[in-house]
């Protein structure tokens, strides 16, 4: 009996992973479990409420509707987290890689140096390396992460090598470093042809929507610009959960604003800065692109 659903689920996950076979982990696992439990709790509350004889009918109807809406809303949040991790993010990252290919990035005659900040289990790094391998492009990917379990389930620096083996990627093309994006090695100044980031920078600091956290994210952007080579590209995808007026913050739009500032100053550091989206994976999310100016 269980064999058909299992085959279906495996096919679904395989197709959803755009040909990748590794385990790239559940993002925000505690929020997923918490929202599932909350949804279950609200829907469960409906039973005593509807059975109760002492509550007037109209009040019962209003309360039931309220519980149902809250329960369904929280349930949808958990579904979007699961869907994003097991399907949606593979599509977004594959599409971003296709865009790079269309721009001729993989035709570079020089060996490419790429940095994936907050790389987690290596989804972006390995997608890029697989593409480079299949196009015969020379180059390496550096990954930097603090491996926080709260941000991705079972987050350790081993996962990326395990996934590299599963994907058939040469591990000598990977350099994995434990470190903070706000304080990257000084010798990385002007090093990378491309710096990518997926779903990581909103996690840079605890208390995502406080003023201090915003300042920390600006530090991260400035570091990313520092390590990018003149003429090198920056490519970032992150979430924007709701209107900043209500939620108090939208990390990816802050990156965009900071990158625009760097583009508009008297001696601009960046050019071709643009914001793309919304993309409805996880919550509304956006892609920000930019290129570091070649200062003569
Ligand atoms: C939601 S996960 C996304 C991982 C991966 N980029 C992906 O798309 O699957 C966020 C990652 O950012 C990392 N991270 C959070 N704060 C960081 C920081 N200050 N410096 C480096 N990495 C950080 C976490 O450890 C985690 O691996």
């Amino acid at each position: 009996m269980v064999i058909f659903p299992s085959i279906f689920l495996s096919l679904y996950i395989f197709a959803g992973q755009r040909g990748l076979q590794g385990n790239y982990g559940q993002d925000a696992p505690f929020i997923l479990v918490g929202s599932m439990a909350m949804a279950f709790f609200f829907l469960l509350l409906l039973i005593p409420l509807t059975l109760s004889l002492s509550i007037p009918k109209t009040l019962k109807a209003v309360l039931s509707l309220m519980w149902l809406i809250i329960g369904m809303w929280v349930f949808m949040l958990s579904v979007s987290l699961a869907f994003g991790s097991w399907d949606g993010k593979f599509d977004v990252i594959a599409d971003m890689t296709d865009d790079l290919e269309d721009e001729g990035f993989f035709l570079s005659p020089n060996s490419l140096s790429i940095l994936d900040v907050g790389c987690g289990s290596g989804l972006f790094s390995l997608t890029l390396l697989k593409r480079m391998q299949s196009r015969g492009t020379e180059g390496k990917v550096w990954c930097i992460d603090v491996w926080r379990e709260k941000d991705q389930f079972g987050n350790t620096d081993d996962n990326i090598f395990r996934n590299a083996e599963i994907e058939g990627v040469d591990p000598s093309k990977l350099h994995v470093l434990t470190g903070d994006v706000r304080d990257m090695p000084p010798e990385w100044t002007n090093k990378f042809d491309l710096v990518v980031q997926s779903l990581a920078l909103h996690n840079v600091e605890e208390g995502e929507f406080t003023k201090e956290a915003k300042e920390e994210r600006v530090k991260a952007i400035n570091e990313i610009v520092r390590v990018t080579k003149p003429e090198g590209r920056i490519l970032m995808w992150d979430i924007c959960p709701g209107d900043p007026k209500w939620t108090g913050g939208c990390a990816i739009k802050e990156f965009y604003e900071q990158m625009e500032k760097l583009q508009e100053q008297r001696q601009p550091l960046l050019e071709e800065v643009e914001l793309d989206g919304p993309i409805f994976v996880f919550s509304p999310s956006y892609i920000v692109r930019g290129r570091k100016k070649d200062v003569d």
Side-chain angles (χ1 to χ4, degrees), residues 123-136:
L123 176 56
F124 215 152
S125 308
L126 296 175
T127 302
L128 289 165
L129 276 174
K130 264 194 110 163
R131 188 69 63 97
M132 285 158 71
Q133 227 165 257
S134 71
R135 302 292 179 265

Side-chain angles (χ1 to χ4, degrees), residues 22-190:
N23 178 1
Y24 293 94
Q26 174 62 52
D27 297 293
F30 301 120
I31 301 182
L32 173 77
V33 173
S35 54
M36 279 275 188
M38 246 172 93
F40 186 66
F41 172 74
F42 274 107
L43 296 175
L44 210 66
L45 273 184
L46 281 173
I47 301 172
L49 188 68
T50 41
L51 292 181
S52 161
L53 298 173
S54 58
I55 304 176
K57 263 192 183 159
T58 337
L59 184 61
K60 215 191 241 188
V62 172
L63 285 179
S64 306
L65 190 67
M66 239 171 67
W67 272 195
L68 191 68
I69 292 173
I70 298 176
M72 291 308 288
W73 185 80
V74 186
F75 179 69
M76 290 311 290
L77 173 70
S78 56
V79 169
S80 81
L81 279 173
F83 167 79
S85 291
W86 293 99
D87 185 305
K89 74 175 182 178
F90 292 84
D91 288 334
V92 177
I93 287 174
D95 291 348
M96 286 164 85
T97 308
D98 289 346
D99 289 346
L100 284 170
E101 173 133 41
D102 293 345
E103 291 163 19
F105 179 72
F106 298 110
L107 297 175
S108 168
N110 306 319
S111 178
L112 294 172
S113 300
I114 299 175
L115 173 66
D116 182 0
V117 298
C119 57
S121 306
L123 176 56
F124 215 152
S125 308
L126 296 175
T127 302
L128 289 165
L129 276 174
K130 264 194 110 163
R131 188 69 63 97
M132 285 158 71
Q133 227 165 257
S134 71
R135 302 292 179 265
T137 313
E138 277 301 313
K140 290 187 175 178
V141 173
W142 278 253
C143 298
I144 185 165
D145 202 303
V146 290
W147 322 110
R148 282 211 316 227
E149 280 248 29
K150 161 181 157 307
D151 301 335
Q152 194 164 72
F153 187 69
N155 204 0
T156 70
D157 58 351
D158 297 336
N159 291 342
I160 188 163
F161 286 109
R162 217 171 295 133
N163 282 333
E165 198 181 335
I166 296 172
E167 307 298 357
V169 165
D170 176 358
S172 72
K173 306 280 183 200
L174 265 176
H175 294 277
V176 176
L177 182 87
T178 298
D180 196 303
V181 58
R182 289 165 292 182
D183 187 20
M184 293 194 270
E187 63 275 17
W188 280 6
T189 302
N190 294 338

